[in-house]
Amino acid sequence: FHKGSKLGENFYVRQDGTQAYYFELEELRDLATHAGFEVEECEYIVRQYANRKERSARYRIWVHAKFRKPNA
């Protein structure tokens, strides 16, 4: 992100105007629990992508989560 694109803690605006918020696992678990869901899975997925032409590697990180609403 470029200078001045930080809107808040873990909250950014991209060059095209879209906004991105980066969750931490504990924060996501808390949101789901407070909404009445049970957390089945919540983890980071890390992948490395190589650019052979430029001889560089990039890491991409996603959050993988499964929540379940308990039976009433």
Side-chain angles (χ1 to χ4, degrees), residues 3-4 6-8 11 18 27 32 37 39 41 46 52 58 61-63 65 67 71-72:
K3 190 174 186 173
K6 186 172 184 176
L7 301 176
F11 190 40
T18 59
E27 180 182 10
F37 291 94
V39 179
E41 296 178 25
V46 180
R52 293 183 184 136
R58 290 183 160 196
I61 302 171
W62 291 269
V63 173
F67 307 116
N71 294 333

Side-chain angles (χ1 to χ4, degrees), residues 5-48:
S5 62
K6 186 172 184 176
L7 301 176
E9 189 66 30
N10 297 338
F11 190 40
Y12 299 87
V13 63
R14 295 185 174 111
Q15 287 179 337
D16 63 0
T18 59
Q19 297 173 355
Y21 184 83
Y22 295 92
F23 289 93
E24 294 184 23
L25 294 181
E26 193 59 37
E27 180 182 10
L28 195 55
R29 284 186 190 104
D30 288 344
L31 285 171
T33 302
H34 286 109
F37 291 94
E38 294 176 358
V39 179
E40 291 184 355
E41 296 178 25
C42 192
E43 62 188 1
Y44 290 120
I45 303 294
V46 180
R47 297 286 185 258
Q48 178 183 0

